[in-house]
Amino acid sequence: MKHMFEHAIMTKADFLLTAAILVLAGVLLVRHFTAGPGDGWVVVSRDGVVEERLPLSEDTRLLLQDASGNENLLVIEGGSVRLEDADCPDRLCVRQGAISRSGESIICLPHKLVITIEGRAETDSSAPDAMLD
């Protein structure tokens, strides 16, 4: 009785596909592990408007207060950011804990507050985010 894979031969296309996947995985791993925790920015937005932009590399304690007097205590420490305290009813934003990677967010819905970590800022802020044809 013959096995199904007994005569399987890796074609050139199979080899190239495997090599491309391995190279892509390697690039993503290097990028993931070389971006240090202090290489980003903490962006604080309320109701869609950016209020603060703070370096992730500098330890900071900042009381965020809106026009209605709602408060959130933002803490940047050791390359991560968290909301240490908030006077919202459910305090889910506090219980979420710290974030440290680009793209992660903490959201406080009652206060319409979003804290996001972004990667390194471009040296030229007028540079486009994407190129379109």
Side-chain angles (χ1 to χ4, degrees):
M1 191 155 126
K2 291 188 177 184
H3 293 289
M4 185 168 64
F5 297 108
E6 191 172 305
H7 296 289
I9 298 173
M10 191 170 189
T11 66
K12 185 176 180 179
D14 294 334
F15 176 77
L16 291 175
L17 179 62
T18 303
I21 290 171
L22 289 173
V23 168
L24 179 61
V27 168
L28 291 174
L29 281 173
V30 167
R31 184 173 176 220
H32 176 76
F33 287 110
T34 58
D39 290 345
W41 295 91
V42 176
V43 179
V44 179
S45 303
R46 189 179 308 273
D47 212 10
V49 177
V50 174
E51 291 184 352
E52 300 281 344
R53 186 174 172 83
L54 307 162
L56 191 57
S57 58
E58 292 181 23
D59 290 356
T60 306
R61 294 178 69 82
L62 180 64
L63 183 63
L64 303 169
Q65 193 171 31
D66 67 10
S68 301
N70 298 315
E71 295 181 346
N72 295 77
L73 179 59
L74 177 104
V75 176
I76 302 172
E77 200 170 58
S80 65
V81 62
R82 71 182 190 282
L83 288 177
E84 185 172 282
D85 196 17
D87 62 4
C88 54
D90 58 13
R91 295 176 39 91
L92 290 175
C93 54
V94 174
R95 290 193 299 236
Q96 182 176 340
I99 58 173
S100 61
R101 301 226 177 262
S102 184
E104 292 181 319
S105 296
I106 298 171
I107 300 170
C108 180
L109 281 178
H111 297 171
K112 300 178 183 176
L113 185 70
V114 177
I115 291 103
T116 305
I117 295 180
E118 292 182 352
R120 287 188 180 170
E122 296 293 325
T123 54
D124 179 9
S125 62
S126 66
D129 289 338
M131 298 295 287
L132 301 176
D133 287 331

